Amino acid sequence: MSNLASSPIPLTVQALQAGCAACSMHQLCLPMGLDDSDMQRLDQIIGRRRKIKRDQSLYRVNSPFTTLYAIRLGHFKTFQINSNGSQQITGFQMAGELLGMDAIGTGQHQCEAIALEDSEVCEIPFAQLEELFQDMPQLLRQFHRIMSKEISREQGVMLSLNSMSAQQKLAAFLINLSSRYAARGYSASRFQLRMTREEIGNYLGLAIESVSRLLTSFKKTGLIDVQHRELELLDMPALRSIALGTAPCA
């Protein structure tokens, strides 16, 4: 394929571990003690990489489902088009997460995925992955765990946002980003916002003016420092208290 980059990783356990370190698929194989032969079979499926330029679509609404995508590098947003024809962002995804699971049940993608920056994904043909599931039940069990965790996370986010004030929504959003970066070995307190303020507002159900006003308020009260998209969380306990509704809002 013309849009695939790099040659396959040498088929050894050590090389697979190094190659999958920033890929969500490491959750399917590395902790489970698969032997070299099983590792090789899995690597032959997930070793193909595809580069996606900033603002380029990875897949579109209603496009046929054939492939899962493990984000190796970069960030994405997923969105749907609501009844009035405007875009509704449903999530932001980063390295170490899977894209495309929304289409497994229907055979068609329910949203569109757009790269927020130059990114790279590992393509995983789902039909071939299902064949491996038949021979490697531990792989299927782990995949089900990943799906269950993702569904629970998304449901929890939506239920929480519906009942939160604007300040709580933004604080919870920043804490969520912090925990996800920390889980990937990055700084939990200093990172760059890959999405615009408008996109954050769209996702949280807030006007862009509200997002800007709240960021300024959080900065004035010493909760954060923000310069354009560079963000530092200065008072994590206070942000958590705001998100939980147990402290006065900023």
Side-chain angles (χ1 to χ4, degrees):
M1 298 181 184
S2 61
N3 55 358
L4 298 182
S6 76
S7 58
I9 300 170
L11 297 180
T12 66
V13 174
Q14 293 78 11
L16 180 61
Q17 289 173 335
C20 293
C23 171
S24 62
M25 293 304 288
H26 79 279
Q27 299 176 62
L28 298 184
C29 58
L30 299 186
M32 300 188 326
L34 301 182
D35 60 27
D36 281 359
S37 175
D38 287 341
M39 285 282 202
Q40 289 173 13
R41 293 177 65 191
L42 189 59
D43 186 49
Q44 287 169 354
I45 292 177
I46 68 175
R48 294 172 293 188
R49 302 174 193 169
R50 175 181 172 188
K51 294 184 182 296
I52 308 294
K53 294 292 186 181
R54 179 181 177 180
D55 296 328
Q56 181 181 346
S57 176
L58 180 61
Y59 54 78
R60 300 184 184 279
V61 178
N62 295 327
S63 59
F65 169 66
T66 59
T67 305
L68 289 174
Y69 303 93
I71 304 174
R72 186 173 180 81
L73 300 169
H75 292 72
F76 287 79
K77 67 175 179 181
T78 51
F79 64 88
Q80 297 174 327
I81 303 300
N82 58 30
S83 57
N84 62 14
S86 60
Q87 183 182 117
Q88 176 58 59
I89 295 175
T90 58
F92 299 105
Q93 297 78 24
M94 61 179 67
E97 295 178 348
L98 282 174
L99 281 168
M101 288 191 293
D102 63 295
I104 291 176
T106 63
Q108 291 182 317
H109 288 287
Q110 306 302 300
C111 59
E112 183 166 349
I114 298 286
L116 293 174
E117 61 183 337
D118 289 353
S119 303
E120 185 176 293
V121 298
C122 292
E123 293 188 327
I124 309 143
F126 192 66
Q128 295 181 43
L129 188 61
E130 285 188 305
E131 290 178 4
L132 284 189
F133 288 157
Q134 297 177 21
D135 299 332
M136 301 158 62
Q138 67 272 42
L139 191 65
L140 178 60
R141 287 194 295 270
Q142 182 70 358
F143 184 74
H144 284 164
R145 283 195 289 269
I146 290 174
M147 289 188 65
S148 177
K149 286 175 62 177
E150 180 63 18
I151 292 170
S152 297
R153 184 182 70 83
E154 289 187 354
Q155 288 179 339
V157 168
M158 297 311 298
L159 287 173
S160 297
L161 290 179
N162 286 337
S163 60
M164 284 181 170
S165 68
Q167 292 92 337
Q168 285 178 290
K169 288 180 179 181
L170 184 59
F173 176 75
L174 297 178
I175 292 295
N176 176 268
L177 285 180
S178 169
S179 64
R180 290 161 72 190
Y181 280 124
R184 287 152 182 78
Y186 301 117
S187 172
S189 59
R190 298 189 65 166
F191 47 86
Q192 186 179 80
L193 293 172
R194 306 295 178 173
M195 62 293 294
T196 66
R197 284 156 175 70
E198 183 178 9
E199 288 169 331
I200 293 172
N202 182 292
Y203 175 64
L204 297 178
L206 301 173
I208 183 175
E209 295 81 7
S210 296
V211 174
S212 296
R213 176 178 55 80
L214 286 169
L215 286 173
T216 299
S217 177
F218 284 2
K219 181 176 180 178
K220 286 182 178 178
T221 54
L223 298 176
I224 66 172
D225 185 29
V226 59
Q227 301 291 335
H228 304 292
R229 294 196 183 188
E230 299 294 331
L231 182 73
E232 182 176 5
L233 307 185
L234 301 175
D235 194 338
M236 296 284 284
L239 283 170
R240 290 194 181 94
S241 294
I242 291 175
L244 292 171
T246 58
C249 293

